[in-house]
């Protein structure tokens, strides 16, 4: 069957969502967000626009039989609103931040590692499997509401952070396949999706708000990550075009960090008053601070919001601890801790590391979003001053935080003698990504303005120099560019330097990436210390016509697929050997 809908899916760190737009030349409707049925309490199902990206693994008999039933069947692992709420009472069985684990090369992303550091009796899943569970939930919800238009038969676009490397994108695509999504789905960067949502709402009027030479900063601050992208307005043959020209690093910093910081502040006050909290109560307090923060930043003018923490002592009245989050605490922690006023030359602070640390995700060591933003705009020693800002992500729902970021950017522009940036308004920061992805899926099929960008990173292969062996001195390693920044979908690049490929026995390739080196060409030699090392490629290339251990002259080919993933091949005459990224822990 041919597709009848363009589908956009935002597989978020803290929330996921799905939007759809009819296909066809006469379909003019804007993408609409689907309400997702989910368990919100035992025995209660409700449809909500956001599916919280939390998965709860209940113990046998923890809930009455049938109390977790969804319209399409009983849930073995529980995703959504009720799953998230269980984190305050049974945190060891709650899986969160699966998307962050999916991008972390230091973990076995196909191995059963989540919930992280949970007791042995808790069943565990891989980050890929957890991501597939969220996508399966969205697919089941869509199929239940559209029995004659299965999601597997639609044009689907799935979003990823712009800073995801080739391995993380490949794993995201693998999760989609496990969930039963169509094999021909496309991947789209989240900042681009947010801008597509703005374009969908503006229609042809967008050209009156932007002009040639404008640079749009997409500032995406979600629950778990902060991402920055720059998109330029250019002119080609008299037509305005949009080009993504820069992408920031993948920064594990967002609303979750803010909730925990508020909880620490409240706990310190309670301890000064003689009330101590254990680890279990601290988790409950963090959850309560999240709800209070969202209320106060969402437009409430109250000076405080009540907090209720379950008690652990019979001496407590009603078995609970009652306190409040004060507005002065909220603004002090968030504005001064996460959005301080800094100059354009500020950079993230890297404190001296301890010799030992707990194992886990590589969270940002500096919580100041404004310092990370200054570093992004000041790459290569040249300060960029965007002329427009598009806010995205749940954190930017707050007018207080948006105003602070805007004020900081205005101060940088003023100091540089540049015009103050304007804010592109009208986009729902929670739902823009899925709506923009659906809009993109439709214009790919039916036509419309496109954002040009290609790969968000340049990719390099490590080559050992053929030098005389010296005891105790490892061979010098060079990095050769095999796929440049901005390589377009469907295009191919070939490394001009021939290499010797060993057949019949195990071989290894070291690969590197960079989101900052936008000028490197295919075959250019780079110092690998300036790059980020990716997961290696380890495999055995079989060749029945050659003896094991023989070196075959090959050239490496890189191709960016229409899906949005990077394919690598070693080519010798008419033979091709495909290289698949090794996603095991290094």
């Amino acid at each position: 069957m041919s597709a009848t809908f363009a589908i956009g899916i935002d597989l978020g760190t803290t929330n996921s969502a799905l939007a759809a737009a009819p296909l066809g030349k006469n379909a003019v409707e804007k993408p609409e967000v689907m309400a997702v049925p989910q368990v919100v309490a035992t025995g209660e199902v409700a449809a909500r626009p956001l599916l919280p990206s939390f998965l709860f693994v209940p113990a046998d008999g923890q809930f009455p039989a049938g109390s977790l039933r969804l319209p399409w069947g009983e849930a073995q692992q529980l995703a959504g609103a009720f799953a998230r709420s269980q984190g305050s009472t049974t945190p060891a069985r709650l899986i969160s931040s699966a998307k962050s684990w999916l991008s972390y090369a230091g973990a076995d992303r196909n191995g059963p590692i989540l919930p992280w550091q949970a007791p042995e009796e808790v069943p565990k899943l891989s980050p890929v499997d957890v991501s597939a569970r969220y996508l399966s939930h969205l697919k089941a919800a869509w199929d239940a509401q559209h029995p004659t238009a299965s999601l597997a038969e639609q044009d689907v676009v799935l979003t990823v952070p712009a800073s995801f490397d080739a391995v993380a994108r490949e794993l995201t695509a693998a999760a989609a396949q496990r969930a039963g999504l169509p094999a021909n789905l496309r991947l789209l960067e989240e900042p681009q999706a947010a801008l597509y949502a703005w374009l969908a709402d503006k229609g042809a009027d967008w050209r009156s708000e932007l002009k040639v030479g404008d640079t749009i900063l997409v500032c995406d601050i979600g629950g778990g990550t902060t991402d920055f992208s720059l998109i330029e307005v250019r002119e080609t043959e008299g037509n305005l075009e949009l080009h993504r020209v820069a992408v920031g690093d993948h920064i594990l910093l967002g609303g979750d960090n803010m909730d925990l910081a508020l909880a620490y502040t409240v706990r310190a006050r309670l301890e000064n008053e003689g009330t101590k909290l254990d680890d279990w109560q601290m988790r409950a307090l963090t959850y309560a601070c999240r709800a209070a923060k969202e209320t106060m930043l969402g437009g409430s003018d109250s000076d405080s919001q009540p907090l209720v923490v379950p008690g652990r002592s019979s001496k407590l009245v009603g078995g609970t601890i009652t306190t409040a989050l004060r507005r002065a605490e909220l603004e002090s922690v968030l504005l001064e801790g996460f959005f301080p006023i800094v100059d354009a030359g500020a950079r993230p602070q890297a404190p001296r590391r301890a010799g030992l640390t707990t194992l886990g995700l590589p969270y940002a060591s500096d919580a100041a979003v404004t310092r990370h933003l200054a570093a992004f705009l000041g790459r290569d020693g040249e300060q960029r001053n965007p002329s427009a800002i598009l806010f995205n992500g749940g954190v930017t729902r707050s007018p207080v935080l948006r105003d602070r970021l805007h004020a900081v950017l205005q101060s940088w522009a003023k100091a540089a003698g540049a015009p103050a940036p304007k804010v592109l308004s009208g986009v729902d920061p929670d739902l823009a990504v899925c709506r923009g992805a659906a809009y993109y899926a439709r214009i790919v099929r039916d036509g419309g303005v496109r954002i040009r960008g290609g790969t968000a990173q340049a990719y390099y292969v490590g080559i050992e120099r053929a030098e005389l062996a010296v005891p105790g001195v490892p061979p010098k390693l060079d990095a050769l560019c095999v796929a440049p920044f901005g390589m377009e979908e469907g295009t191919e690049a070939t490394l001009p330097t021939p290499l010797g490929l060993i057949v019949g026995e195990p071989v290894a390739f070291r690969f590197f990436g960079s989101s900052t080196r936008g000028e490197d060409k295919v075959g250019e030699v780079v110092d690998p210390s300036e790059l980020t090392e990716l997961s290696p490629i380890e495999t055995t290339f079989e060749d029945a016509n050659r003896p094991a251990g023989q070196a075959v002259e090959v050239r490496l080919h890189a191709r960016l697929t229409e899906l949005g993933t990077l394919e690598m091949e070693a080519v010798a005459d008419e033979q091709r050997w495909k290289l698949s990224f090794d996603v095991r822990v290094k």
Side-chain angles (χ1 to χ4, degrees):
M1 295 179 62
S2 60
T4 54
F5 287 94
I7 307 293
I9 297 178
D10 176 9
L11 179 62
T13 306
T14 53
N15 288 294
S16 297
L18 182 151
L23 286 170
K25 292 294 185 182
N26 297 323
V28 297
E29 295 89 347
K30 295 177 182 178
E32 295 291 337
V33 176
M34 179 186 72
V36 184
Q38 55 196 282
V39 177
V40 296
T42 52
E44 182 181 349
V45 173
R48 296 179 176 176
L50 294 173
L51 176 74
S53 301
F54 294 82
L55 195 72
F56 187 72
V57 185
D60 292 340
Q62 183 173 354
F63 300 106
S67 63
L68 304 181
R69 180 171 294 278
L70 290 159
W72 50 87
E74 189 80 9
Q76 292 183 337
Q77 292 92 26
L78 185 65
F82 188 55
R84 181 179 61 183
S85 68
Q86 293 305 296
S88 61
T89 56
T90 321
R93 290 183 170 271
L94 182 68
I95 298 175
S96 62
S97 302
K99 183 176 176 180
S100 296
W101 286 103
L102 201 66
S103 66
Y104 180 33
D108 182 359
R109 291 165 279 183
N110 270 317
I113 62 173
L114 302 177
W116 182 248
Q117 295 183 329
E120 291 185 3
E121 66 269 16
V122 178
K124 295 179 178 64
L125 299 168
S126 74
V128 177
D129 282 332
V130 175
S131 300
R133 292 293 198 281
Y134 301 143
L135 294 173
S136 295
H137 189 117
L138 294 173
K139 179 179 183 297
W142 172 270
D143 289 349
Q145 297 178 39
H146 303 81
T148 62
S150 169
L151 189 67
E153 298 169 347
Q154 308 310 311
D155 282 354
V156 177
V157 168
L158 179 61
T159 62
V160 294
S163 52
F164 259 24
D165 64 22
V167 181
R169 291 168 190 250
E170 190 172 286
L171 290 168
T172 302
Q177 296 308 305
R178 293 185 193 183
L181 271 61
N184 63 341
L185 65 73
R186 294 172 178 265
L187 300 181
L188 177 67
E189 295 170 13
E190 291 163 3
Q192 289 191 38
L195 187 54
Y196 275 122
W198 182 80
L199 292 171
D201 290 339
K202 291 294 180 181
D205 292 341
W206 75 269
R207 292 176 175 83
S208 64
E209 293 202 28
L210 296 173
K211 62 182 185 302
V212 174
D214 277 343
T215 301
I216 306 161
L217 167 67
V218 183
C219 184
D220 188 347
I221 309 174
T225 59
T226 292
D227 284 290
F228 305 118
S229 288
L230 286 175
I231 298 173
E232 286 185 355
V233 181
R234 299 178 181 175
E235 184 177 27
T236 301
E237 298 180 352
N239 297 315
L240 292 184
E241 290 186 347
L242 299 169
H243 290 254
R244 193 261 291 116
V245 295
V247 172
D249 297 326
H250 194 59
I251 307 169
L252 293 183
L253 175 64
D256 294 345
N257 306 70
M258 300 173 194
D259 301 334
L260 187 59
L262 292 170
Y264 276 122
T265 299
V266 175
R267 184 179 71 172
R269 172 161 51 81
L270 290 173
E271 289 182 347
N272 287 336
E273 297 169 354
T275 301
K276 291 191 175 183
L277 304 181
D278 59 23
D279 290 343
W280 181 86
Q281 291 171 310
M282 185 60 182
R283 292 188 179 98
L285 176 61
T286 303
Y287 181 77
C289 283
R290 176 190 297 127
K293 175 200 72 179
E294 292 174 352
T295 299
M296 296 175 76
L297 292 179
S300 170
D301 57 1
S302 63
D303 291 331
S304 65
Q305 281 292 314
L307 302 172
V308 178
V309 181
R312 306 283 274 187
S313 170
S314 59
K315 296 180 180 179
L316 295 167
V317 177
T320 61
I321 300 171
T322 301
T323 183
L325 176 63
R326 301 167 182 171
R327 182 167 293 277
E329 293 171 328
L330 177 78
E331 295 183 354
S332 174
V333 169
L334 298 193
L335 292 178
E336 303 310 320
F338 290 88
F339 299 93
I341 297 174
V342 298
D343 61 36
R347 295 295 181 265
Q349 300 173 357
R352 185 176 182 179
R353 299 291 300 274
L356 294 174
T357 182
T358 56
L359 297 176
L361 290 170
Y363 293 106
S365 57
D366 190 330
V369 173
T370 45
R371 282 196 283 270
H372 289 284
L373 178 56
F376 169 65
L377 294 176
R379 281 179 175 175
D380 303 322
E382 180 181 352
Q383 184 68 28
R384 288 182 165 179
N385 292 287
S387 52
I389 313 164
L390 181 67
F391 290 112
N392 188 57
V395 170
T396 66
R397 286 199 309 266
S398 165
V400 174
L401 301 185
R402 289 199 307 269
D403 290 346
R404 169 56 67 90
L405 276 170
H406 190 203
V408 169
L409 286 163
Q410 285 178 312
S411 70
W412 296 347
K414 182 178 180 180
K422 63 180 179 181
V423 175
L424 302 181
S425 60
V427 170
D428 184 327
D430 281 322
L431 300 171
V433 168
C434 69
R435 292 184 66 249
Y439 180 73
Y440 171 76
R442 190 170 68 186
I443 64 175
V444 167
R445 172 109 166 223
D446 295 341
V449 63
R450 296 276 295 273
I451 302 171
R452 305 294 177 183
T455 54
Q457 294 194 41
Y459 292 97
Y460 307 78
V461 63
I463 306 295
E464 287 186 357
R465 291 184 185 176
E467 297 178 330
L468 294 173
V470 177
V473 180
K476 175 71 175 178
L477 188 75
D478 291 321
L480 271 65
C481 180
V482 68
F485 182 94
M487 183 177 176
E488 293 287 348
E489 294 175 0
T491 61
E492 184 174 309
T494 303
L495 191 69
T497 306
L499 304 171
L501 180 71
I502 306 299
V503 297
E505 59 185 47
V507 293
F509 293 86
R510 291 176 65 183
F511 276 85
F512 304 84
S514 173
S515 60
T516 62
R517 302 184 65 90
E519 304 302 322
D520 290 345
K521 306 300 182 184
V522 174
E524 193 159 340
V525 178
V526 176
D527 184 347
S529 66
E530 300 176 7
L531 310 173
T532 300
E533 186 159 8
L534 308 178
S535 296
I537 290 179
E538 299 178 2
T539 189
T540 299
F541 296 101
E542 302 295 345
D543 189 330
N545 299 320
R546 294 182 174 90
Q550 180 176 337
V552 181
E553 183 176 305
V554 298
R555 294 179 187 272
L556 285 185
H557 281 226
R559 179 175 179 271
L560 187 65
T561 69
E562 286 76 6
L563 168 65
T565 58
L566 184 69
E567 288 184 350
M568 301 292 301
E569 289 182 319
V571 180
D573 298 327
E574 296 182 356
Q575 281 188 288
R576 287 177 176 260
W577 292 274
K578 185 176 180 179
L579 286 71
S580 298
F581 287 98
D582 186 345
V583 295
R584 295 173 297 172
V585 60
K586 293 190 285 186

